[in-house]
Amino acid sequence: MEKLLCGVDIGGTKLSTTLVQCDGTVLDKCIDCDHVNKKENELVEKIAGNVNMLLRKNRLTESDLLGIGIGCAGHIRFRDGVIITTSNLKGYKNYPLRDEVQKHFGIPVILDNDANAQAFGEFKFGAGRGYDSMVFLTISTGIGAGIIINNRLYRGMTGTAGEFGHTIVEPDSELTCTCGNRGCLMAVACGMALPHLFRKKIGEGKKTKLDLPPGFDFNKVDGRLLLQGLEIDDPVSKEIILDSAYYVGIGIYNIFQALNPPLVVLGGGLMSWGDFYLDQIRKTFYGLARDMIFDPFEIAVSRIGPDVGVIGAASLALELC
Amino acid sequence: MEKLLCGVDIGGTKLSTTLVQCDGTVLDKCIDCDHVNKKENELVEKIAGNVNMLLRKNRLTESDLLGIGIGCAGHIRFRDGVIITTSNLKGYKNYPLRDEVQKHFGIPVILDNDANAQAFGEFKFGAGRGYDSMVFLTISTGIGAGIIINNRLYRGMTGTAGEFGHTIVEPDSELTCTCGNRGCLMAVACGMALPHLFRKKIGEGKKTKLDLPPGFDFNKVDGRLLLQGLEIDDPVSKEIILDSAYYVGIGIYNIFQALNPPLVVLGGGLMSWGDFYLDQIRKTFYGLARDMIFDPFEIAVSRIGPDVGVIGAASLALELC
């Protein structure tokens, strides 16, 4: 039997574990919502327990696995398998998660940034199939990215390459990123910008068609609310979606100039805004790149869907092949 | 005898040719100022003639060379050895310069973008020695760059990777780049921005200590003039130099977030502004990167000096080893 892949995605609310076939098909998965606020060693026990439970349930042993890939948000020191910092797990600093999980298994354990994992999943099983290089951008509350060059993840010195979300595209912006800087791509273009942009447009006297309760807390404005707005042709929601698309278009253009890849794949929650969003992203990109594109260049949408995190984590084991 | 390298740098005013030892030492060189406005085939004859002349003069034959590297500004399709466009040679479009020069020689001929050539030269013989990855930025009239990953130039799909000068860092800028876009790094940060910035500051009522002739044409403001200003403590010159440093600092920060290299090397004419300039570049970078640097990161200055173009071109032949 061909070996299986095991993926673990450490999210902000969910700890997902899957068994995945080498073609990307999910064989089985388990979702656990009890990992937040756990101590480091408790998380390790949970991960090992969930993997072993899935193996037992499917009458498999770890020798049926090629490896276990773990994706985690934040700064990961890839070579050492260490979580430097992560916003998903409070208090974790320089924690050697990979080696701690490895103690439970005889097969390889790989720890990487969640966007890198998603990028590699999309490269192996999704929109990146058939390419040898690509950049993946996930656009949701923040913006993460992964770079694939010559069939491998490019990670840089520490393992933190691909942080296009933190590149500065509007230095004088009034929008500040969680990193503390003004005008990062993710400060102006994605989920974290939406409350501010909504508040600002309402403050400018623009009228929304959304039926908001009295005393509505603008901090609750998110991609889902604007999707509702888009569906009822709300001008405020549409303007904000176009603003976001404009900056994402600039981000893709900057990636194009810097790395000259043949493909950029877009994923993440805000892609639910659909063609209205994507068309403006493309329009901005092509308006900037014009006669500087000399070979076929594609902006594609993630094909894996909501499981990209955990399937991507599983795909990391394929990098060992 | 160890083989030699031959480099050809096609500049806007000078066609330089060198024989270089494998440690980067220049053995002999020739400068030719008669290549502009020549037809394509005349340029090829000139390049071949200059190389052969240098060989004869040094009692060498082409079998003493490892290869001939040619650096040229503009968009180069590396794999095919084609100049797609270049501002240095009027009317050249999709010209297969490499193969045309190759017809004159039995040893390998390599054609690459001038900034890539400089980057590789600096990597092999200059500030990049001892590293396996780095980014080189040349800051003069425009901004060029070359990316080295795992001891090799990273060129992307077409060969045009590393165009950080065209990444957009100030979308609403009143400064337009030669590419036609607003707020590219090179539009706001380097030589091409200086006339506008000078005119603007004078227009704001700022007084320069520079002794400018009546009716002075602000389009003549360049790095050299501002260096004179810096030397006499001219406040206008110093402000502009700090503005440039600010954007270069942002550019380096964006490179750091995107590629996470251990080293960025700065070269080009504006580096003659010295420590006053470099200190502000570093200050901007470290002010942005703060606690996001997890491994030693260096901003260094080019060590090769004014011959970096042609020595860099020669170094391209070492990529074949």
Side-chain angles (χ1 to χ4, degrees), chain B residues 82-162:
Chain B
V82 165
I83 298 176
I84 302 173
T85 60
T86 170
S87 51
N88 283 353
L89 302 163
K90 275 180 196 149
Y92 283 48
K93 286 268 180 204
N94 292 315
Y95 183 67
L97 182 70
R98 184 195 64 197
D99 287 357
E100 291 301 319
V101 174
Q102 185 70 73
K103 287 177 184 166
H104 293 259
F105 299 98
I107 50 166
V109 176
I110 307 113
L111 172 68
D112 207 340
N113 170 271
D114 60 343
N116 277 359
Q118 292 171 39
F120 205 64
E122 203 60 55
F123 174 68
K124 282 288 181 187
F125 308 132
R129 289 185 73 160
Y131 287 84
D132 66 359
S133 300
M134 61 171 253
V135 174
F136 175 79
L137 278 186
T138 171
I139 308 162
S140 52
T141 310
I143 290 180
I147 300 169
I148 284 132
I149 294 176
N150 293 334
N151 302 299
R152 301 187 71 81
L153 275 163
Y154 170 75
R155 296 180 173 95
M157 165 177 62
T158 301
T160 57

Side-chain angles (χ1 to χ4, degrees), chain A residues 77 154 157-160 162-163 166-169 171 179 181 246 253-254 257-260 288 290 294-296, chain B residues 77 154 157-160 162-164 166-169 171 179 181 246 253-254 257-260 288 290 294-296:
Chain A
R77 188 183 294 281
Y154 170 75
M157 164 176 64
T158 302
T160 57
E163 287 285 359
H166 285 305
T167 60
I168 290 176
V169 294
C179 76
N181 291 330
Y246 169 71
Y253 174 71
N254 286 354
Q257 289 290 4
L259 293 178
N260 188 223
L288 292 166
R290 291 167 289 112
F294 306 109
D295 285 293
Chain B
R77 189 183 293 281
Y154 170 75
M157 165 177 62
T158 301
T160 57
E163 287 287 357
F164 293 106
H166 285 305
T167 60
I168 290 176
V169 295
C179 77
N181 290 331
Y246 168 71
Y253 175 69
N254 285 355
Q257 289 290 4
L259 293 178
N260 188 222
L288 292 166
R290 290 167 290 113
F294 306 110
D295 284 294

Side-chain angles (χ1 to χ4, degrees), chain B residues 245-306:
Chain B
Y246 168 71
Y247 284 112
V248 171
I250 288 178
I252 296 172
Y253 175 69
N254 285 355
I255 289 169
F256 175 76
Q257 289 290 4
L259 293 178
N260 188 222
L263 173 69
V264 170
V265 178
L266 303 177
L270 298 198
M271 294 313 294
S272 67
W273 290 340
D275 282 346
F276 180 77
Y277 189 47
L278 186 61
D279 288 351
Q280 184 72 10
I281 290 172
R282 288 199 167 119
K283 193 177 155 195
T284 303
F285 171 80
Y286 287 102
L288 292 166
R290 290 167 290 113
D291 56 351
M292 289 179 275
I293 309 174
F294 306 110
D295 284 294
F297 174 75
E298 191 86 28
I299 299 173
V301 176
S302 163
R303 288 206 196 127
I304 296 188

